[in-house]
Amino acid sequence: MKIGFIGLGIMGKPMAKNLKKAGYNLWVNNRSRGPMEELANFGCVPATQAEIGEVCDVVLTMLPNSPQVREVMLAPGGVAEHMKPGSVYIDMSSINPVASREIAATLAERGIEMLDAPVSGGEPKAIDGTVSFMVGGKQEVFDRMKPLLLTMGASAVRCGEVGAGNTAKLANQIIVACNIRAVAEALTLAKMAGVEPELVFRAIQGGLAGSTVLNAKAPMMLSGDDRPGFKIDLHIKDLNNVLDCAHAVGAPVPMTASVMEVMQWLHAQGKGQLDHSAIAQYYEALSGAKLRE
Amino acid sequence: MKIGFIGLGIMGKPMAKNLKKAGYNLWVNNRSRGPMEELANFGCVPATQAEIGEVCDVVLTMLPNSPQVREVMLAPGGVAEHMKPGSVYIDMSSINPVASREIAATLAERGIEMLDAPVSGGEPKAIDGTVSFMVGGKQEVFDRMKPLLLTMGASAVRCGEVGAGNTAKLANQIIVACNIRAVAEALTLAKMAGVEPELVFRAIQGGLAGSTVLNAKAPMMLSGDDRPGFKIDLHIKDLNNVLDCAHAVGAPVPMTASVMEVMQWLHAQGKGQLDHSAIAQYYEALSGAKLRE
């Protein structure tokens, strides 16, 4: 089975490496040359997007958002025009589920199957091959592709038809954003009340407040490490998709809207390239208290 | 060492049983007779509060809030008047940290040491003896009492001087309340977007959205099981303490204030005795969508 991989960014590059390590034949493409050369040295075949479409049985993309996915796949001369009927397209980007369904419908006309399979876990889990896949698409296609996904991830759960993966990812991003903000609000209160946030973090880890966010992000807030990880600007992109989807289906998302405003403020302060744990800096600005030692 | 235990409610009763099972001699007191008789049959000594004060080397309380703790300990004829100098008082109630410090100051005048040691984990962990203690008080007293606490809990972390335990608990309750609300908002969006919330829950569990709240509360939201657990009205009590503390120290807590309003609405709907996962019912009322099958 020949695999194409388009989009070798923070997440895509280590995921492609994990596929190669698992023994797959990999054709790779990226907007900039650096990651392609790195993967060529790793035994992958650098290729144009058209070549990938022609050669590969399965094409994977890991791109920033819906417009980039549409461009790569559906633009005149794009990948879809080169793919064979019966081949499979798996989009691992986090995009608007409405866009996923539209792209799948266009591909279906050409006899190409599609899964939307966005991931959660960030760069460390991409490197470890332990991301979580949230998948939408036909059961039969999912069953066939699951072993491929599990070379890059620890879990892959099918949530429904195409678009369901990205809908689950929106839910994921709501919870992550709100929980990060809650951790920042809570630790700031502790600090201002004269209690060491580091000790509070350790005391509450084992109880009902415990979470992957708490374990991953509280230490970053406390040490002042705001290297991404996952950038504020990317989370803003995801929350835009949440709000678009919510408005379209009439879902109430006041908490998401509020945390979106916090992230927009951070973006306006020039902090959009920082890790989303930098939400703590909103509370530091409001309170004058410093979580970071 | 003779131990007194006052307050045998949902949390207190199983915690007292765990102390007794661990071999401690236990004098017990409760406002209503039922739990005292149950624990008498379990080998504990039913006693008045005055007797507990006179007899015991360590007195524990597990009460609803600051006024009850003040009443039991500091009212004329209260426990403090009967306790010996050199004895230790451990308040495991979740109360305002300002009240903890005031009570400790009064006890100190009588030569009585105090720890504030609120817990997280709820009834199941109280029964299993695996609650998390967040502790404030002198290091020496904490070191001496830690084995006692660990017969009821899986962890006990000292966060600072008296009041620090309850400050950590406030931080804990902010994170728990906000995370429950985020889970409800996220699952409601998924449902309205046509994706099964149960599958979304399973898909996101392993990623950055994963948390103790998600694992414990999403299944309750999805099954319609709203038996407490931890009641809305008790969480309102804790968030009142959060807001009081935040206002006193000037900490910004807009997210907590917002989730407090959701809980107050649920209380006004007559749902204050339900588990705090009933926050999902706020979203169901707004959206018309039913998470519960």
Side-chain angles (χ1 to χ4, degrees), chain A residues 111-123:
Chain A
I112 303 163
E113 300 287 355
M114 173 170 167
L115 300 176
D116 66 317
V119 307
S120 178
E123 189 184 11

Side-chain angles (χ1 to χ4, degrees), chain A residues 120 125 132 159 171-172 178-179 181-182 185-186 192 195 199 203 206-213 249-256 283, chain B residues 120 125 132 159 171-172 178-179 181-182 185-186 192 195 199 203-204 206-213 249-256 283:
Chain A
S120 178
K125 292 197 172 192
S132 300
C159 299
N172 187 83
C178 292
N179 200 9
R181 185 178 176 190
E185 187 161 309
M192 295 191 78
V195 178
L199 294 172
L208 196 47
S211 68
T212 311
V213 158
V249 302
V253 286
M255 204 181 193
T256 308
Y283 284 91
Chain B
S120 178
K125 293 196 172 192
S132 302
C159 298
N172 186 84
C178 292
N179 200 9
R181 185 179 175 188
E185 186 161 309
M192 295 191 78
V195 179
L199 294 171
I204 68 179
L208 195 48
S211 68
T212 311
V213 157
V249 301
V253 286
M255 204 181 193
T256 308
Y283 285 90

Side-chain angles (χ1 to χ4, degrees), chain B:
Chain B
M1 192 160 62
K2 292 171 181 168
I3 312 289
F5 200 118
I6 299 170
L8 305 169
I10 291 181
M11 296 294 287
K13 193 172 68 178
M15 292 172 77
K17 284 185 176 177
N18 284 327
L19 279 173
K20 181 65 194 166
K21 277 185 223 162
Y24 287 103
N25 292 314
L26 211 60
W27 276 251
V28 296
N29 177 269
N30 192 56
R31 200 174 44 176
S32 64
R33 295 285 316 168
M36 278 174 78
E37 284 164 11
E38 185 178 337
L39 280 168
N41 292 333
F42 203 74
C44 301
V45 183
T48 65
Q49 294 178 2
E51 286 166 349
I52 285 178
E54 274 153 28
V55 168
C56 295
D57 308 297
V58 178
V59 176
L60 305 167
T61 52
M62 192 54 155
L63 296 164
N65 202 0
S66 323
Q68 291 80 17
V69 176
R70 280 188 209 276
E71 171 70 21
V72 165
M73 293 303 294
L74 302 185
V79 176
E81 287 186 11
H82 298 275
M83 285 177 75
K84 296 178 287 271
S87 59
V88 176
Y89 170 54
I90 306 178
D91 181 28
M92 304 186 294
S93 322
S94 292
I95 72 174
N96 193 321
V98 175
S100 299
R101 284 192 287 269
E102 288 172 4
I103 295 164
T106 305
L107 295 181
E109 293 168 10
R110 310 181 62 92
I112 302 163
E113 299 288 356
M114 172 170 167
L115 302 176
D116 66 317
V119 306
S120 178
E123 189 184 11
K125 293 196 172 192
I127 292 170
D128 295 346
T130 56
V131 297
S132 302
F133 285 98
M134 296 152 271
V135 189
K138 291 181 189 160
Q139 183 73 51
E140 173 271 320
V141 180
F142 172 71
D143 292 341
R144 201 146 43 91
M145 293 297 127
K146 196 173 175 185
L148 181 76
L149 296 178
L150 290 181
T151 60
M152 297 176 283
S155 72
V157 178
R158 179 180 175 269
C159 298
E161 302 306 319
V162 171
N166 271 301
T167 304
K169 178 65 190 273
L170 298 184
N172 186 84
Q173 294 302 77
I174 290 173
I175 294 169
V176 170
C178 292
N179 200 9
I180 291 175
R181 185 179 175 188
V183 168
E185 186 161 309
L187 294 181
T188 302
L189 174 66
K191 178 81 180 190
M192 295 191 78
V195 179
E196 209 40 67
E198 168 75 29
L199 294 171
V200 170
F201 162 55
R202 283 204 271 139
I204 68 179
Q205 249 184 323
L208 195 48
S211 68
T212 311
V213 157
L214 184 68
N215 290 341
K217 302 302 179 183
M220 294 180 72
M221 294 178 189
L222 296 172
S223 68
D225 175 9
D226 50 25
R227 286 169 302 172
F230 190 79
K231 291 174 189 170
I232 294 275
D233 281 348
L234 277 173
H235 215 139
I236 286 176
K237 179 264 293 183
D238 288 341
L239 296 189
N240 260 323
N241 286 334
V242 169
L243 297 176
D244 282 350
C245 177
H247 300 160
V249 301
V253 286
M255 204 181 193
T256 308
S258 175
V259 71
M260 173 63 139
E261 288 307 306
V262 173
M263 290 199 190
Q264 292 283 2
W265 180 86
L266 287 161
H267 172 82
Q269 301 299 309
K271 296 176 189 289
Q273 296 300 305
L274 302 184
D275 186 72
H276 48 180
S277 60
I279 285 178
Q281 295 180 32
Y282 175 81
Y283 285 90
E284 292 180 336
L286 282 171
S287 67
K290 289 272 169 254
L291 290 180
R292 42 184 64 200
E293 297 310 316

Side-chain angles (χ1 to χ4, degrees), chain A residues 3-293:
Chain A
I3 312 289
F5 200 118
I6 300 170
L8 306 168
I10 291 182
M11 297 293 288
K13 193 171 70 176
M15 291 171 78
K17 284 186 175 175
N18 284 328
L19 279 174
K20 181 67 194 161
K21 277 184 222 163
Y24 286 101
N25 293 315
L26 212 58
W27 276 252
V28 296
N29 176 270
N30 191 56
R31 201 174 45 177
S32 65
R33 296 283 317 166
M36 276 173 77
E37 285 163 11
E38 184 177 337
L39 281 169
N41 293 332
F42 203 73
C44 302
V45 183
T48 66
Q49 294 177 3
E51 286 166 348
I52 284 177
E54 275 154 27
V55 167
C56 295
D57 308 296
V58 178
V59 176
L60 305 166
T61 52
M62 192 55 156
L63 297 165
N65 202 0
S66 325
Q68 291 80 19
V69 176
R70 280 187 209 276
E71 171 72 21
V72 165
M73 294 303 295
L74 302 185
V79 176
E81 287 186 11
H82 298 274
M83 286 176 75
K84 297 179 287 272
S87 59
V88 176
Y89 169 54
I90 305 178
D91 181 28
M92 304 185 295
S93 321
S94 291
I95 72 173
N96 192 321
V98 175
S100 299
R101 284 193 287 267
E102 288 171 3
I103 295 164
T106 305
L107 295 181
E109 293 167 11
R110 310 181 62 91
I112 303 163
E113 300 287 355
M114 173 170 167
L115 300 176
D116 66 317
V119 307
S120 178
E123 189 184 11
K125 292 197 172 192
I127 292 169
D128 294 346
T130 56
V131 297
S132 300
F133 285 99
M134 296 151 272
V135 190
K138 291 180 191 161
Q139 182 74 51
E140 173 273 320
V141 180
F142 172 72
D143 292 341
R144 201 147 43 92
M145 293 298 127
K146 195 174 175 185
L148 181 76
L149 296 177
L150 291 182
T151 61
M152 297 176 282
S155 71
V157 177
R158 179 178 176 270
C159 299
E161 301 306 320
V162 170
N166 271 301
T167 304
K169 179 64 189 273
L170 298 184
N172 187 83
Q173 294 302 77
I174 291 173
I175 293 169
V176 170
C178 292
N179 200 9
I180 291 175
R181 185 178 176 190
V183 169
E185 187 161 309
L187 295 181
T188 302
L189 174 66
K191 179 80 180 191
M192 295 191 78
V195 178
E196 209 41 67
E198 168 76 27
L199 294 172
V200 171
F201 163 55
R202 284 205 272 138
I204 68 178
Q205 253 183 321
L208 196 47
S211 68
T212 311
V213 158
L214 184 69
N215 290 340
K217 302 303 178 182
M220 295 180 72
M221 295 178 189
L222 296 171
S223 68
D225 175 8
D226 49 25
R227 287 169 301 173
F230 191 78
K231 291 174 189 169
I232 293 276
D233 281 348
L234 277 174
H235 215 138
I236 286 176
K237 180 264 294 182
D238 288 341
L239 296 188
N240 261 323
N241 286 334
V242 169
L243 297 177
D244 283 350
C245 177
H247 301 161
V249 302
V253 286
M255 204 181 193
T256 308
S258 175
V259 71
M260 173 64 141
E261 288 307 306
V262 173
M263 291 200 189
Q264 293 283 2
W265 180 87
L266 287 160
H267 172 83
Q269 301 297 308
K271 297 178 188 286
Q273 298 300 305
L274 302 184
D275 186 73
H276 47 180
S277 61
I279 285 178
Q281 296 181 31
Y282 175 81
Y283 284 91
E284 292 179 335
L286 282 170
S287 68
K290 289 272 169 252
L291 289 180
R292 42 185 64 202
E293 297 308 317

